[in-house]
């Protein structure tokens, strides 16, 4: 029966080409717009570390003792150096890592290349297993390297391609500012979205958080080594008094270090919360803190708190779905016109014994076929839309590709939308009284 | 006109009419709000900064070998002298942060030294005696810093207080509403006496609530080039790019090996364009959505009206046969569309308002000004009339002889 309905639907679509084209176009444009924005939304709102994110937490304490540093309802987004190092070296979590990023000049090993500006992440060895960072060559440095301030580095796939043409560069040296570091590992292409581990300050960003979706750093260096190598080039998140020497923040009254911990069970999480609270109380007793607020948000909670999805992207998604809604109304109207014009044909079918249900099914088949063709159009339009997104000057532009899941959703959405749109006209068509129509014929 | 006949006829197609009304209403709501959003973005992109942007060029230098503080300061003086000698350069200064740049320096500012006094975060510009002239800043009240008031970075870091300050009019009005700020004291770096009020100078980037965009302070600090950037005033805005080339050449010749690259030399106007590029992209996207939406709505109107014309061929023929002119038929469909569009627009106004409330709640948007409503209404009326014209003309061409034929 379905085959027969499909045949009827095809014939009907061919009969009034203009109307068919209009309907297909309306659905295609609506689907194209919504799938483009939905894909971007999906890319930006996803879990950067599915399966692991629930065990990763961002720790905060409130080191600023002055009353006017914010309202103290929330601790600062970053830690001061002393708290960060205290908490990290206590090793109370399953894994823990410090995060500071900075920019520095690097000289390429090939003499004919000009100096490069690179981004460097100062971190500790746990960073790599904690965040499931994939290696192409070599591996992470050791805890001993962290302790001995070894001059070693892990570099990104991009930098390895740029400097070493993509070959195994483990053991080669790289000159970071005035220090030579030995490369111990090369990452595979790695592009978490957002670059969650440096996310901070979202509540001050006025919704402009596109910067969170940039590429990971070019060079990863043991925390203390990096602080020595790039002395004076560090940016504070905030200070409650002017630092004695800008850029030298170890002893400065400034927040600038991030601490991520991995806690594998709820009991450990609760224990760590207690540990943070104790630390804050103890520091208050020592006179270093005035405020004892602490936070331990899990990864997705931290992204939510920072409202990591750019506001414009959300707005675009709303807009696209309003647009799809209007296309839906449009399709309902056009299908209604189309079906009612064929009232005579349905009258004959009813008179020959077709049930209302059969007419209804026939009409829905036609609507679904239009939806499917519209879906193909919508898929092509969303490819065009994503191509346009990739040409935008946003940091996440390179991420905008349609994956398999979204490809399927495109067609499901198109067919569902058109079947929904077709159901009212189909209901009306199935109610055509046979006798009246036959008389007119 | 025969409104009643039209309404009677429409009553026979209640569902189709309801669909058209809804489609027009939703289009009206989305188009009005989208136009408002576009207006907002355009307004944002055109905010003045208080700086003579056309004549200002910025140059950042990465320093490979900074050397001692004295050496860097000496190098800064050498650079400035060399830059001044370039024909086409009117003035040169060093500033700690540039408009639309990446760095943002701010301090808590209050009206009392008391730690519990309320404070707001205000951005601070620090620069030498040439900064005001280089940027083309205009003083509204009071006076510029005196030459002996400029201190060095070391003196600032040593915690020297009592530094005079120049604040913007917007900040002055916020701190001292209805009074003159000149001669008053604010507390930022210790106690700072306000010596002048600037017409306008804005934050380097948006931070905090919208109204604080115009809050800024200016301190008399002579900085080395490593703590900020060179800002250069050109004599002729048309020759900016040539001056940038001269600046690069001069700086490369003037000192030790440093990272001097055309990538770090900008005109302020290019920085503005870059800063607002997302707003521009968003505005264009909204324009695209509006156009597509109107096209889709027009398609719906054309489709349904065509269907009605086809359905009513015989009636049209009868009306023609009993004396209606082509013009009568044409006007009939135009009036019909006008009625439907008006219904849609009326409902659309309510939806527009609702959508605006939703956007206000989620996107900190302002209330939609009333004049967007008639604009949206006009757009949809015109669109409706244009869309109906084709089918209505076809209807007007139906010959009277159709009346004599059976369907």
């Amino acid at each position: 029966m379905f085959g027969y309905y499909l045949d009827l639907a095809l014939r009907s679509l061919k009969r009034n080409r203009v109307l068919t084209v209009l309907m297909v176009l309306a659905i295609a444009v609506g689907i194209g717009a919504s799938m483009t924005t939905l894909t971007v939304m999906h890319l930006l709102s996803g879990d950067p570390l599915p399966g692991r994110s629930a065990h990763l937490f961002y720790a905060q304490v409130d080191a600023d003792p002055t009353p006017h540093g914010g309202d103290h309802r929330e601790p600062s987004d970053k830690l001061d150096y002393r708290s960060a190092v205290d908490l990290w070296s206590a090793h109370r979590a399953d894994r823990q890592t410090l995060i500071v990023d900075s920019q520095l000049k690097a000289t390429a090993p090939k003499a004919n290349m000009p100096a490069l500006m690179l981004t460097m992440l100062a971190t500790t060895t746990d960073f790599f297993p904690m965040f499931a960072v994939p290696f192409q060559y070599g591996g992470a440095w050791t805890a001993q390297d962290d302790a001995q301030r070894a001059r070693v580095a892990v570099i990104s796939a991009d930098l390895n391609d740029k400097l070493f043409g993509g070959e195994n560069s483990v053991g080669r040296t790289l000159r970071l500012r005035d220090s030579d570091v030995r490369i111990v590992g090369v990452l595979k292409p790695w592009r978490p979205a957002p670059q969650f581990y440096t996310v901070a300050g979202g509540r001050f960003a006025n919704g402009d958080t596109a910067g969170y979706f940039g590429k990971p750093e070019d060079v990863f260096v043991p925390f203390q080594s990096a602080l020595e190598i790039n002395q004076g080039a560090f940016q504070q998140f905030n200070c409650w008094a002017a630092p004695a020497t800008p850029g030298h923040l170890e002893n400065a009254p400034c927040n600038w270090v991030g601490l991520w911990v991995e806690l594998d069970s709820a009991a450990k999480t609760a224990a760590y919360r207690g540990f943070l609270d104790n630390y804050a109380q103890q520091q208050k007793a020592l006179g270093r803190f005035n405020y004892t607020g602490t936070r331990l948000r899990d990864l997705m909670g931290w992204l939510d708190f920072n409202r990591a999805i750019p506001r414009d992207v959300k707005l675009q998604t709303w807009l696209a779905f309003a647009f799809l809604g209007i296309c839906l109304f449009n399709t309902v109207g056009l299908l209604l016109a189309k079906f009612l014009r064929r009232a005579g044909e349905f009258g004959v079918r009813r008179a020959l014994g077709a049930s209302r249900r059969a007419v209804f099914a026939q009409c829905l088949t036609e609507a679904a076929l239009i939806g499917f063709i519209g879906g193909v159009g919508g898929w092509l339009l969303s490819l065009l839309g994503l191509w346009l997104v990739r040409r935008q000057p946003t940091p996440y532009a390179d991420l905008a590709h349609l994956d398999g899941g979204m490809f399927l959703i495109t067609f499901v959405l198109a067919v569902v939308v058109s079947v929904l749109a077709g159901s009212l006209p189909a209901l009306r068509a199935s109610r055509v009284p046979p006798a009246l129509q036959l008389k007119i014929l | 006109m025969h409104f009643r006949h039209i309404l009677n006829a429409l009553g026979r197609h209640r569902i189709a009419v309801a669909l058209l009304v809804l489609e027009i209403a939703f289009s009206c709501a989305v188009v009005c709000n989208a136009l408002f959003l576009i207006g907002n973005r355009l307004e944002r992109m055109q905010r003045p900064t208080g700086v003579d942007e056309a004549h200002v060029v910025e140059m950042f230098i990465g320093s490979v070998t900074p050397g001692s503080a004295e050496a860097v300061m000496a190098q800064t003086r050498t650079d400035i002298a060399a830059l001044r000698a370039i024909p086409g350069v009117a003035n040169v200064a060093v500033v700690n942060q540039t408009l639309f740049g990446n760095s943002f320096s701010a301090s808590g500012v209050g009206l009392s030294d008391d730690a519990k006094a309320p404070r707001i975060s205000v951005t601070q510009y620090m620069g030498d005696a040439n900064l005001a002239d280089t940027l083309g800043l205009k003083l509204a009240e009071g006076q510029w810093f005196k030459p002996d008031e400029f201190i060095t970075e070391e003196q600032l870091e040593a915690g020297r207080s009592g530094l005079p300050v120049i604040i913007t009019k917007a900040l002055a009005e916020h701190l001292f509403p209805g009074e003159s700020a000149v001669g008053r004291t604010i507390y930022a770096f210790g106690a700072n006496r306000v010596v002048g009020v600037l017409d306008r100078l804005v934050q380097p980037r948006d931070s905090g609530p919208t109204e604080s965009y115009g809050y800024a302070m200016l301190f008399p600090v002579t900085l080395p080039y490593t703590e900020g950037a060179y800002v250069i005033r050109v004599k002729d805005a048309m020759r900016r790019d040539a001056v940038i080339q001269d600046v690069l050449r001069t700086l490369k010749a003037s000192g030790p090996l440093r990272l001097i690259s055309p990538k770090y030399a900008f005109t302020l106007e290019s920085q503005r364009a870059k800063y607002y590029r997302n707003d521009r992209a968003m505005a264009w996207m909204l324009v695209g959505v509006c156009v597509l939406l109107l096209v889709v709505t027009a398609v719906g109107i054309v489709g349904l009206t065509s269907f009605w014309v086809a359905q009513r061929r015989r009636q049209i023929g009868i009306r023609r046969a009993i004396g209606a002119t082509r013009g009568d038929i044409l006007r009939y469909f135009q009036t019909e569309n006008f009625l439907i569009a008006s219904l849609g627009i009326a409902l659309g106004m309510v939806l527009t308002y609702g959508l605006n409330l939703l956007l206000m709640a989620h996107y900190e948007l302002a209330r939609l000004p009333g004049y967007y409503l008639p604009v949206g209404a006009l757009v949809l009326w015109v669109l409706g009339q244009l869309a109906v014209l084709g089918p209505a003309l076809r209807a007007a061409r139906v010959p009277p002889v159709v009346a004599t034929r059976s369907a």
Side-chain angles (χ1 to χ4, degrees), chain B residues 188-232:
Chain B
F189 288 96
N192 304 108
R193 193 171 47 86
V194 179
V195 296
V197 175
L198 285 176
D199 238 358
R200 185 170 173 84
L201 178 63
V202 298
Q203 301 175 348
R205 332 179 49 89
D206 284 85
S207 160
T210 324
E211 60 271 18
S212 65
Y213 185 59
Y215 297 174
M217 316 181 272
L218 185 59
F219 287 104
V221 183
T222 307
L223 294 171
Y225 73 89
T226 46
E227 291 304 316
Y230 286 121
V231 279
I232 298 150

Side-chain angles (χ1 to χ4, degrees), chain A residues 360-439:
Chain A
F360 186 72
Q362 184 198 337
C363 290
L364 275 194
T365 310
E366 193 171 328
L369 182 67
I370 291 171
F372 184 77
I373 302 172
V376 175
W379 168 58
L380 292 173
L381 283 179
S382 51
L383 288 183
L384 177 74
L386 289 171
W387 178 77
L388 283 174
V389 172
R390 282 198 295 277
R391 290 172 56 88
Q392 295 296 314
T394 50
Y396 53 79
D398 63 311
L399 290 169
H401 288 278
L402 202 68
D403 58 17
M406 294 313 263
F407 176 77
L408 265 183
I409 291 177
T410 308
F411 287 93
V412 173
L413 191 67
V415 172
V416 166
V417 160
S418 52
V419 166
L420 268 182
S423 53
L424 177 79
L427 201 66
R428 294 271 302 179
S430 66
R431 301 242 164 139
V432 167
L436 194 67
Q437 292 298 331
L438 287 178
K439 229 188 307 182

Side-chain angles (χ1 to χ4, degrees), chain A residues 67 117 311-312 318 323 330 392, chain B residues 41 115 264 281 293 296 300 363:
Chain A
M117 272 313 258
R311 198 160 58 188
D312 280 357
W318 279 107
F323 190 70
N330 197 17
Q392 295 296 314
Chain B
R41 299 282 167 150
Y264 304 117
L293 206 58
V296 167
Y363 297 98

